[in-house]
Amino acid sequence: MDNQSSKCRFCSAPLEQVVVDLGMSPLCQTQIKPTDINKFENFYPLRIFVCTQCFLVQLDEYVTPRDIFSEYAYFSSYSDSWVEHARLYCEKMIVETKMSSESLVMEIASNDGYLLQHFLQSGFRVLGIEPAANVAQSAIEKGIKTEIQFLGERTAQAIVKNHGQASLVVGNNVLAHVPDINDFVKGIKILLQPDGIVTMEFPHLMQLMTLNQFDTIYHEHFSYLSWHSVQAIFSKHGLTLFNVEELDTHGGSLRIYGCHHSDRSKTITSAVDLLTRKEADWGVTDPKTYTKFTERVTRTKHALVKFLIEQKEKGKSIVGYGAPGKGNTLLNYCGIRTDFLDYTVDRNPYKQGTYTPGTRIPIFDPSKISQTQPDFVLILPWNLKAELSTQLDYVREWGGKLVFPIPELTIE
């Protein structure tokens, strides 16, 4: 794709400033089946730009969402800490919004029902909107009514016609996944009843760059969102962001709270001004802020590859833990294949028995680690460090160590 023809997906200004170029990479949530191990695999440029007009950081669209998400390998329920995060959110919103049991809660990208199950158990009406049929089926089996759809203006109108508008619209880690972000937010506005609330969570661009989280860049993430850019996008489509929380999830995320411009019942909180000033001090609208990221990313790659080479030369065995999208970005960018990692493991049975995209590392059940007792375990979902440090404590029984590659290489 010609860079000169690339346009900002929000404001349509030309995209000219590159933030970081991670080379060529395959789709990160598409595991390779054994029958396809010798087949051709598509690789696409993994290069993100910043729009110097609205400062939305973004990736060119090389693949349609339908190609990526119609069948998806990520099931939210395989992370205990994420399910607990969802449960606590549900408890909080039930208390704070004072919704009645007649209220309808909708979740966009509802995955396998990891979140809506808690509202359902509390007696609320729920509706999931999930494009991946294989994942949606898991939610349906839990009794969660689910529309297998991509959200946009047209699908939102059809959903409201069939189910009515929602008191609460939830979207966790989906806003970054939509190439037509304007159409998506138009859809949110249609779903939301006049006095309703929308909350969305997404990785915070400021944390991504400050903490060197470059492996969260992959083709399934079309946008990398700041508070500054999200405020502008929602405001353009008639939605006011009246509150924001900074969360620890996914290496540092934001949870935004929105309502219709016409809804005067919501009070703008002090957190809005605080985060606005924090991002301004960081330099969210200064093009120079985005010029030094490549340098740090390159240093991280060199440190990890150097460590792996040194350990392999000593005859040490190294395996991976997890097969997340971010892990596949790291493996492909750093050129880590079975010459460095014997295998990786994942709790998701959907991924077991397949191979990582691009690098073709076999994926097994986690019990494989106990069987082979490796010297080092490279943790690919480093954002779950606290949870996995406890789960993998048994590795220390034979003197094994855990390796965390981000934000800086650490061995524990």
Side-chain angles (χ1 to χ4, degrees), residues 55 71 78 176 263 330 387:
F55 293 93
E71 182 175 0
Y78 287 109
D263 181 2
L330 183 79
E387 176 182 339

Side-chain angles (χ1 to χ4, degrees), residues 7 63 100 112 139 165 188 197 201 269 340 349 366 403 410:
K7 304 287 185 184
V63 190
S100 73
D112 59 7
Q165 290 180 307
I188 292 173
I197 293 173
E201 295 180 25
T269 69
F340 287 124
V403 181
T410 57

Side-chain angles (χ1 to χ4, degrees), residues 257-278:
Y257 294 74
C259 62
H260 291 285
H261 277 343
S262 56
D263 181 2
R264 302 299 182 189
S265 67
K266 312 294 190 292
T267 303
I268 306 287
T269 69
S270 59
V272 167
D273 183 55
L274 186 66
L275 186 54
T276 300
R277 285 188 278 113
K278 186 184 286 189

Side-chain angles (χ1 to χ4, degrees), residues 316-371:
K316 302 294 185 181
S317 57
I318 311 169
V319 305
Y321 185 94
K326 60 165 52 75
N328 290 319
T329 290
L330 183 79
L331 296 174
N332 280 283
Y333 173 60
C334 295
I336 297 169
R337 297 177 174 80
T338 51
D339 52 345
F340 287 124
L341 294 189
D342 298 341
Y343 60 83
T344 191
V345 301
D346 201 278
R347 290 178 67 190
N348 184 349
Y350 193 83
K351 296 182 181 182
Q352 293 164 13
T354 65
Y355 296 79
T356 57
T359 52
R360 308 293 173 97
I361 297 168
I363 305 170
F364 294 101
D365 180 272
S367 61
K368 182 84 170 174
I369 292 178
S370 293
Q371 295 165 17

Side-chain angles (χ1 to χ4, degrees), residues 53-249:
Q53 296 300 309
C54 71
F55 293 93
L56 175 63
V57 173
Q58 57 203 280
L59 184 72
D60 271 329
E61 181 186 351
Y62 294 99
V63 190
T64 68
R66 199 163 298 281
D67 290 330
I68 297 172
F69 299 113
S70 293
E71 182 175 0
Y72 204 46
Y74 180 74
F75 289 70
S76 296
S77 293
Y78 287 109
S79 169
D80 297 337
S81 60
W82 185 243
V83 174
E84 178 63 7
H85 172 76
R87 187 187 67 79
L88 293 172
Y89 164 84
C90 294
E91 286 185 356
K92 171 186 168 74
M93 296 307 292
I94 289 169
V95 171
E96 291 185 1
T97 62
K98 299 181 174 62
M99 292 185 294
S100 73
S101 59
E102 293 302 305
S103 299
L104 175 61
V105 179
M106 291 186 192
E107 185 183 11
I108 309 163
S110 48
N111 202 266
D112 59 7
Y114 76 101
L115 183 144
L116 287 178
Q117 63 185 347
H118 302 297
F119 281 111
L120 185 66
Q121 289 160 10
S122 297
F124 291 90
R125 295 189 300 130
V126 300
L127 179 70
I129 304 167
E130 170 57 53
N134 65 314
V135 180
Q137 187 57 40
S138 293
I140 292 167
E141 290 168 3
K142 294 174 184 174
I144 296 166
K145 191 180 294 184
T146 305
E147 289 274 358
I148 302 174
Q149 301 270 12
F150 286 95
L151 182 69
E153 187 174 14
R154 288 180 62 187
T155 52
Q157 288 168 345
I159 288 167
V160 168
K161 184 178 179 181
N162 292 329
H163 303 281
Q165 290 180 307
S167 300
L168 176 63
V169 175
V170 187
N172 288 347
N173 300 311
V174 61
L175 192 58
H177 290 74
V178 290
D180 192 343
I181 202 163
N182 290 310
D183 184 52
F184 182 80
V185 178
K186 284 178 186 175
I188 292 173
K189 183 171 174 60
I190 291 166
L191 295 179
L192 194 64
Q193 67 183 38
D195 62 347
I197 293 173
V198 55
T199 74
M200 309 216 81
E201 295 180 25
F202 49 84
H204 188 193
L205 173 71
M206 186 175 79
Q207 298 298 334
L208 184 156
M209 294 185 64
T210 302
L211 299 177
N212 193 33
Q213 299 165 353
F214 66 88
D215 57 343
T216 57
I217 298 167
Y218 42 93
H219 297 105
E220 289 86 343
H221 286 172
F222 294 100
S223 301
Y224 302 83
L225 301 158
S226 64
W227 168 244
H228 173 87
S229 60
V230 168
Q231 271 193 309
I233 293 165
F234 275 69
S235 180
K236 178 182 177 180
H237 299 294
L239 294 167
T240 299
L241 299 186
F242 64 88
N243 190 18
V244 61
E245 294 176 69
E246 295 182 75
L247 308 173
D248 292 333
T249 53

Side-chain angles (χ1 to χ4, degrees), residues 7-26:
K7 304 287 185 184
C8 174
R9 63 173 39 92
F10 170 54
C11 75
S12 298
L15 293 177
E16 296 168 343
Q17 183 174 338
V18 175
V19 179
V20 69
D21 187 344
L22 300 178
M24 301 290 286
S25 192

